[in-house]
Amino acid sequence: MNIGAAAAASGVAAKMIRHYEAIGLLPRAPRRSNDYRDYGERDVHELRFIKRARRLGFSMHEIGALLMLWRDRARPSREVRHIAEAHVDDLERRIADMQAMAKTLRQLMHKCHGDDRPDCPILDDLATGEDGVSGAQA
């Protein structure tokens, strides 16, 4: 099937399929005599795999490692689990960071009158450069 058909079958945009090929996440599809890319069912399955992994928040690097493990039927599942555990740890850290940011913003909003006065604790806090959010990164 051509790239349009592969995109429709997998739910992945043709532009992203080209990108995945360019970064080596997906092998470059062979070309037909008319120079169109030729994709098979396995390619579509891998595209669905990538799409699902992206929806779960895995990085491209992690997806590449997971794809390699998926392609290797003799893989040890502990390697897959290790990638998933590291990803969950990262997600939990990011969630904690976002919760701390939301808490700080709620506190600042509580201090802001939100009326016609020009003074604003939110802008004052942003201007001071003080980071009251523990673990948050710029």
Side-chain angles (χ1 to χ4, degrees), residues 70-100:
W70 178 72
R71 291 171 183 147
D72 177 7
R73 297 294 182 200
R75 69 193 167 256
S77 64
R78 74 178 154 277
E79 291 183 30
V80 179
R81 183 181 175 112
H82 175 74
I83 294 168
E85 286 174 343
H87 183 61
V88 168
D89 290 346
D90 181 55
L91 287 173
E92 289 173 344
R93 180 195 51 78
R94 290 177 16 208
I95 289 167
D97 287 349
M98 285 188 258
Q99 287 173 333

Side-chain angles (χ1 to χ4, degrees), residues 3-4 13-14 17 39 56 61 65 74 82 90 110 128 133 135 137:
I3 196 166
I17 295 172
Y39 296 91
L56 289 172
H61 176 76
H82 175 74
D90 181 55
H110 182 70
T128 64
V133 180
Q137 297 176 354

Side-chain angles (χ1 to χ4, degrees), residues 41-128:
E41 287 301 318
R42 181 167 178 86
D43 298 310
V44 169
H45 194 71
E46 288 191 8
L47 287 164
R48 289 180 184 143
F49 182 104
I50 293 167
K51 180 180 178 182
R52 175 71 174 143
R54 287 195 60 187
R55 290 173 84 189
L56 289 172
F58 284 101
S59 69
M60 290 299 173
H61 176 76
E62 291 167 328
I63 294 170
L66 289 168
L67 265 172
M68 285 179 48
L69 289 165
W70 178 72
R71 291 171 183 147
D72 177 7
R73 297 294 182 200
R75 69 193 167 256
S77 64
R78 74 178 154 277
E79 291 183 30
V80 179
R81 183 181 175 112
H82 175 74
I83 294 168
E85 286 174 343
H87 183 61
V88 168
D89 290 346
D90 181 55
L91 287 173
E92 289 173 344
R93 180 195 51 78
R94 290 177 16 208
I95 289 167
D97 287 349
M98 285 188 258
Q99 287 173 333
M101 287 184 258
K103 180 181 176 184
T104 298
L105 285 170
R106 272 196 234 67
Q107 291 169 346
L108 291 169
M109 287 177 356
H110 182 70
K111 294 177 185 177
C112 181
H113 297 288
D115 55 18
D116 291 333
R117 291 182 273 186
D119 60 314
C120 179
I122 299 169
L123 293 176
D124 293 343
D125 182 83
L126 292 172
T128 64

